[in-house]
Amino acid sequence: DTGVSQNPRHKITKRGQNVTFRCDPISEHNRLYWYRQTLGQGPEFLTYFQNEAQLEKSRLLSDRFSAERPKGSFSTLEIQRTEQGDSAMYLCASSLGPLEAREGLNTEAFFGQGTRLTVV
Amino acid sequence: QQPVQSPQAVILREGEDAVINCSSSKALYSVHWYRQKHGEAPVFLMILLKGGEQKGHDKISASFNEKKQQSSLYLTASQLSYSGTYFCGTEAPSRPGAAGNKLTFGGGTRVLVKP
């Protein structure tokens, strides 16, 4: 296993276009997180999954953002009608989480290299 | 709500020590520490679970005070390779009765170790 893989690594798009990013987590990991990071800031939580269930979506996200993890394996993050403020690094992380979602996480989260989005 | 880290930045000479603090307003299940170098993904350092334990990673150690909802990262005898931005990630339910516990990161502490 080569770790968490994200595609594409870079994406330049025109304002108003839709974009979709893909994350392939480490194969046995049941938790998958999406974060957004801008220069000089920490990773900002967007959403996370336990297997195929999306447990939480940040209130900071507008309805233009949607994420799926249809079979509990890879995940996609779609941004519709992109705006210049969406320009950022989008990071995916995965972890071997507890069997029950409410239980604490006691294993590390592995990050992918991210997808850098530039909206022009 | 994201944890608060302090200081925001620190400059060290090689061999000096530093402490980075992470505070949360919520009761925590765990605290994770990561280091990120410019242009790279965050890399895991250590995780601390409830129980006030302390852990170490080479000459980097951390403690977790569950009652105070605080964690501290200790950089001892710093090396040039310690330069980077350090993030704490806290795991807590976003609200009572939430389906799960999300991992939320602080704003980071930039560390520069000079020769």
Side-chain angles (χ1 to χ4, degrees):
Chain A
D1 199 331
T2 56
V4 179
S5 176
Q6 291 189 245
N7 289 288
R9 292 290 306 278
H10 304 273
K11 179 69 177 179
I12 300 174
T13 191
K14 291 183 178 179
R15 187 161 49 99
Q17 297 293 308
N18 299 344
V19 293
T20 300
F21 309 141
R22 176 177 170 126
C23 172
D24 287 273
I26 294 172
S27 57
E28 65 269 23
H29 284 185
N30 53 355
R31 279 204 184 179
L32 187 147
Y33 294 84
W34 284 100
Y35 294 91
R36 177 172 62 189
Q37 188 175 31
T38 53
L39 194 62
Q41 301 298 313
E44 177 188 18
F45 172 82
L46 296 180
T47 188
Y48 86 107
F49 295 83
Q50 173 112 349
N51 299 312
E52 66 276 7
Q54 187 174 17
L55 296 188
E56 185 166 344
K57 180 178 175 180
S58 171
R59 286 173 290 178
L60 298 174
L61 287 187
S62 71
D63 291 340
R64 296 184 297 107
F65 287 73
S66 63
E68 293 183 342
R69 194 182 183 197
K71 296 182 180 179
S73 57
F74 73 92
S75 176
T76 57
L77 177 68
E78 181 184 16
I79 308 174
Q80 296 182 326
R81 305 181 302 282
T82 52
E83 302 172 356
Q84 286 188 322
D86 297 333
S87 295
M89 176 73 82
Y90 289 83
L91 293 168
C92 174
S94 74
S95 179
L96 185 60
L99 295 178
E100 295 293 328
R102 293 179 187 273
E103 296 175 7
L105 178 68
N106 61 1
T107 57
E108 63 182 284
F110 292 83
F111 280 84
Q113 292 298 309
T115 294
R116 182 169 296 284
L117 173 66
T118 303
V119 182
V120 298
Chain B
Q1 196 169 8
Q2 67 175 165
V4 176
Q5 288 186 235
S6 63
Q8 289 187 319
V10 59
I11 300 175
L12 300 167
R13 289 288 180 188
E14 204 173 0
E16 291 182 340
D17 303 339
V19 180
I20 300 170
N21 298 303
C22 174
S23 297
S24 173
S25 59
K26 296 184 174 185
L28 302 175
Y29 280 93
S30 64
V31 178
H32 301 225
W33 285 96
Y34 287 78
R35 178 172 61 208
Q36 185 177 31
K37 294 186 180 282
H38 183 71
E40 299 179 7
V43 173
F44 174 81
L45 294 176
M46 65 193 77
I47 181 172
L48 299 107
L49 307 178
K50 289 195 297 183
E53 64 179 295
Q54 189 158 354
K55 281 196 173 181
H57 172 83
D58 194 10
K59 291 184 178 178
I60 300 175
S61 61
S63 62
F64 176 26
N65 187 320
E66 180 184 345
K67 289 183 179 179
K68 291 185 178 180
Q69 297 159 187
Q70 293 177 346
S71 178
S72 295
L73 187 74
Y74 306 94
L75 307 181
T76 304
S78 58
Q79 305 170 14
L80 296 177
S81 61
Y82 287 3
S83 293
T85 302
Y86 290 77
F87 296 102
C88 68
T90 56
E91 187 203 2
S94 55
R95 60 189 180 281
N101 311 315
K102 68 180 182 183
L103 188 59
T104 309
F105 288 89
T109 296
R110 286 182 292 281
V111 173
L112 175 62
V113 181
K114 293 185 174 181

